Amino acid sequence: MNALMLLVFDGLLLLGIVSLAWASLASSDDRNSVILFMAFGLVLAVAWGRLMAADVALAEAAIGAGLSGALLLAAVRKRPAQMAAGRANNSHNPDRTGVNMLLQWSVTLLCAALAGTLAWALLDAFSSTPHETLPQAISANLEASGVSNPVTAVLLNFRAYDTLLELAVLLTAVLGILAMGRATAVYQPAGPIFDGLVRWLVPVLILTAGYLLWVGAHAPGGAFQAGATLAAAGVVLHLAGHPRIGLPAGFALRILMAAGVAVFLAVGLSLLVMGRPFLGYPPAWAGALILIIESAAMLAIAATLVLAFVGAFPRSTATRAASRQVREEEAR
Amino acid sequence: MIDVLSSLLILAGLFFYLAGSIGLLRLPDLYSRLHALTKADNLGLGLLIAGLALQAQDLLIAFKLLLIWLAILAASATNAHLIARQARRLESGS
């Protein structure tokens, strides 16, 4: 009975994921697409939870559904009007331009190739004889990693290189956004009801981020989830019309953005100087080094994600009044 | 006894979720849909959480469930207010 119920639940979950993905792709309205994509992310997070992958479920809910959704909604809102009109014309016009067709087909082909590769990898994983698999290798070496959560051990120790490069990719992406982005309108200050929510929600989010960072050493959590939670606090502050979004000004903000990559590199290089491999922590210090790197990474991830959402450096209150004047003149 | 009670609470919660979802699909305008959705779902979630709390292994888990309910109550009430206020502004503006 119980097994049957779980089977039905899993089936409904799968059906929900696939139909939400389809609905999100098929929707002709961009805003609806994004909202369906966020719902897709949440159901996907439940699926990760069912697979006992709490780390991935947390990351999917916080980054995949929450922050990516907010970023996409902001992108839809900021997009110039003629682009929206262009797309609307295209989707109702049966003869599309050749470039569009080419783009669509190459995306389809690439997705099919990716799906094929994944299916092949899955088959390979199921058919291969159970020699030493990755989970066994990790649990055999977990003692030396400095943490007891295997996911954190992989991300920050065994495969720390990958995480360093991920942080670099994030930094590069936000540099691109800041270089291209136009300054966004500052939202009007929140009314009393929204302000009431912000007043307790932001402290709770900051506290949760700190908890996720700390707990990452021995249970699901870690820098990415904590950073996304902290970034959510920034997004809420931005929506409530706080011009500085709790971020420092000028040079300090630049240091904060680069902190993750910088601390990671500093740790790796000092280990090299001491005659150890790059990012090969001595087991005795591994726990402390991982916590230092993760703290810096959390702050950098949070600052980067918030800046990506806002699309520009936050303005100080002095320039805010001036830019409002500019906007009003443009509007006339 | 506890199992029966928590099943009844969860079923009652599901009923309110169903009512809220039907309201979302069937009611004529945004304000009444918001009203149906937030009120019914908040109550439904409360009943669901009460049912789950009875099954919790210790008081800490029950307390966490209660916190989740309170956070969602505040967030959904605020969201409903913001959506309705924005809709009113758009109506009177245009």
Side-chain angles (χ1 to χ4, degrees):
Chain A
M1 182 62 198
N2 234 340
L4 182 74
M5 252 163 68
L6 278 180
L7 199 68
V8 171
F9 179 74
D10 289 349
L12 287 175
L13 207 56
L14 273 179
L15 205 67
I17 290 172
V18 174
S19 31
L20 277 171
W22 180 257
S24 171
L25 286 173
S27 165
S28 61
D29 181 66
D30 288 344
R31 192 181 298 264
N32 285 355
S33 285
V34 173
I35 291 167
L36 284 165
F37 172 76
M38 290 165 87
F40 164 77
L42 284 176
V43 181
L44 199 60
V46 176
W48 282 118
R50 268 293 289 145
L51 291 170
M52 305 289 168
D55 284 274
V56 193
L58 273 175
E60 177 59 41
I63 304 173
L67 268 170
S68 305
L71 274 176
L72 288 170
L73 273 183
V76 168
R77 197 166 50 80
K78 275 188 212 163
R79 197 187 39 171
Q82 70 264 29
M83 246 170 90
R87 179 180 160 172
N89 279 344
N90 256 340
S91 57
H92 296 300
N93 200 352
D95 41 44
R96 295 179 181 183
T97 55
V99 180
N100 249 348
M101 284 295 269
L102 192 70
L103 202 65
Q104 217 170 22
W105 275 106
S106 39
V107 168
T108 310
L109 274 179
L110 283 173
C111 286
L114 184 65
T117 320
L118 281 175
W120 181 39
L122 196 65
L123 270 180
D124 191 54
F126 277 133
S127 61
S128 65
T129 48
H131 52 271
E132 199 194 20
T133 54
L134 191 62
Q136 285 160 344
I138 291 169
S139 49
N141 292 298
L142 198 57
E143 198 90 324
S145 74
V147 290
S148 58
N149 176 13
V151 179
T152 305
V154 172
L155 285 182
L156 268 303
N157 197 337
F158 305 145
R159 301 295 298 271
Y161 238 115
D162 284 3
T163 309
L164 170 61
L165 291 178
E166 273 167 23
L167 289 174
V169 166
L170 205 56
L171 182 61
T172 318
V174 83
L175 288 180
I177 290 173
L178 291 176
M180 307 254 308
R182 293 159 297 156
T184 48
V186 177
Y187 285 80
Q188 50 186 320
I193 295 181
F194 189 23
D195 194 51
L197 180 75
V198 171
R199 268 170 202 284
W200 68 263
L201 186 61
V202 168
V204 167
L205 282 172
I206 294 172
L207 196 67
T208 311
Y211 170 74
L212 281 172
L213 178 74
W214 180 254
V215 86
H218 55 84
F224 278 91
Q225 291 91 334
T229 310
L230 210 52
V235 169
V236 169
L237 280 176
H238 178 65
L239 292 177
H242 289 257
R244 293 230 52 90
I245 330 167
L247 290 170
F251 193 58
L253 180 56
R254 287 169 171 78
I255 290 182
L256 197 61
M257 283 164 64
V261 178
V263 169
F264 226 132
L265 274 179
V267 169
L269 291 177
S270 9
L271 288 170
L272 262 188
V273 170
M274 289 159 59
R276 294 192 61 88
F278 184 69
L279 291 173
Y281 321 123
W285 302 354
L289 287 177
I290 285 176
L291 188 64
I292 290 170
I293 292 174
E294 281 210 298
S295 309
M298 173 188 77
L299 294 174
I301 290 166
T304 311
L305 290 175
V306 172
L307 286 175
F309 178 72
V310 176
F313 281 117
R315 276 170 270 165
S316 64
T317 26
T319 56
R320 192 178 159 200
S323 65
R324 184 180 300 149
Q325 208 172 359
V326 171
R327 271 207 311 284
E328 278 166 6
E329 276 162 16
E330 275 173 357
R332 277 189 216 126
Chain B
M1 182 60 207
I2 280 182
D3 280 352
V4 173
L5 196 60
S6 83
S7 315
L8 281 179
L9 282 169
I10 289 173
L11 281 176
L14 289 178
F15 169 75
F16 279 100
Y17 265 102
L18 188 69
S21 308
I22 292 174
L24 176 70
L25 293 173
R26 301 292 301 165
L27 285 174
D29 65 60
L30 182 113
Y31 303 107
S32 41
R33 280 197 295 249
L34 263 182
H35 181 86
L37 193 66
T38 45
K39 294 236 159 91
D41 280 7
N42 279 345
L43 185 57
L45 183 70
L47 289 167
L48 211 65
I49 277 181
L52 289 175
L54 287 179
Q55 298 286 334
Q57 269 128 25
D58 54 48
L59 269 178
L60 188 64
I61 294 177
F63 180 65
K64 278 183 191 167
L65 285 168
L66 182 71
L67 279 184
I68 290 173
W69 184 48
L70 290 177
I72 290 178
L73 270 186
S76 87
T78 311
N79 279 335
H81 163 77
L82 288 176
I83 293 171
R85 195 182 59 165
Q86 186 66 23
R88 251 179 72 89
R89 276 200 190 139
L90 289 178
E91 265 174 22
S92 58
S94 60

